[in-house]
Amino acid sequence: MPFEELYRSLFPSVSDGVFRELKRYSEANPYLEKWLYASAFEHLAQGDIIKALPACYINKDGEVKRTKVPLPAILLSNTCDMSKDCGKIRKPSYTIVPLLPFSEEEFGGSKLQSIKDNTVTDVLFLPNVPTLSGSYIAQLDTACSVSSEYIHKHVGSNRTSLTRNGYYFFMAKLSLHLTRPENDVERCDT
């Protein structure tokens, strides 16, 4: 199912304007990078793609594992949470998702096309990121936190921001992955 139809089926109240933008994304998919990316804003923004940040995860044994080298990452934290108030950082940490280089050889047939079409809800495909060489994927279930102080100190202009349309697309992907309606799950009222 095309991404915009999947989104519309899960969120029927989506406005016609947002739906038209998602449909335009589908039609412009071969040139997605012209539609997604903007020059870096002066401030950090949700969806900014950072050239290199350390990342970690907890393995099956409960051990914290750290990447050997900093990886590209996308900021998940809300823009207002990453702003400064009178020079003071608002939050102690920001949530990121590491980006991995996209390799067509890693995925077979329909999975490959689904990733490139951005119809896989837990994977965000980012083609030809301007500040990086090549295309990347964000596996949205690999989020981690990084010190906000570290990010403000080390990021600088080594990043790409999203256009307005790119931002709405990013929000759609996060919504589909994190808040899509659950089927056949009973919840108690009290």
Side-chain angles (χ1 to χ4, degrees):
M1 175 183 294
F3 176 77
E4 77 279 358
E5 289 177 27
L6 176 63
Y7 190 76
R8 185 71 172 245
S9 71
L10 291 172
F11 303 100
S13 64
V14 68
S15 75
D16 288 338
V18 170
F19 185 72
R20 277 192 302 276
E21 290 299 325
L22 291 172
K23 194 156 185 64
R24 190 177 333 178
Y25 148 73
S26 283
E27 294 162 359
N29 200 9
Y31 306 104
L32 181 60
E33 59 270 20
K34 294 179 194 273
W35 188 83
L36 275 178
Y37 310 120
S39 298
F41 301 135
E42 288 184 27
H43 59 279
L44 293 175
Q46 187 174 43
D48 276 1
I49 299 166
I50 310 296
K51 194 169 188 173
L53 285 174
C56 66
Y57 67 97
I58 299 171
N59 72 9
K60 64 182 173 77
D61 298 320
E63 301 166 332
V64 176
K65 297 293 182 181
R66 184 174 175 234
T67 58
K68 291 183 170 87
V69 295
L71 299 172
I74 191 166
L75 293 174
L76 292 187
S77 292
N78 192 282
T79 300
C80 69
D81 289 338
M82 294 187 290
S83 65
K84 295 180 179 181
D85 292 330
C86 299
K88 184 178 177 191
I89 297 172
R90 281 188 176 185
K91 302 286 183 180
S93 61
Y94 300 149
T95 307
I96 67 164
V97 171
L99 299 179
L100 303 171
F102 177 70
S103 169
E104 291 192 10
E105 293 77 34
E106 288 182 41
F107 305 99
S110 64
K111 175 90 174 186
L112 171 65
Q113 195 56 49
S114 295
I115 288 172
K116 289 175 89 174
D117 290 343
N118 268 307
T119 57
V120 178
T121 59
D122 64 330
V123 177
L124 173 64
F125 175 63
L126 297 165
N128 304 316
V129 180
T131 51
L132 307 173
S133 57
S135 299
Y136 285 77
I137 59 171
Q139 293 176 314
L140 298 174
D141 55 359
T142 61
C144 66
S145 296
V146 175
S147 159
S148 54
E149 199 171 324
Y150 178 89
I151 290 176
H152 282 282
K153 186 175 179 182
H154 290 84
V155 167
S157 62
N158 289 326
R159 61 193 168 86
T160 297
S161 293
L162 298 176
T163 63
R164 183 176 52 95
N165 291 334
Y167 171 74
Y168 286 126
F169 175 72
F170 181 55
M171 291 297 97
K173 286 293 288 195
L174 288 178
S175 296
L176 284 169
H177 178 57
L178 297 172
T179 62
R180 66 187 177 274
E182 298 175 334
N183 296 329
D184 303 323
V185 175
E186 285 203 33
R187 298 197 180 262
C188 299
D189 290 334
T190 55

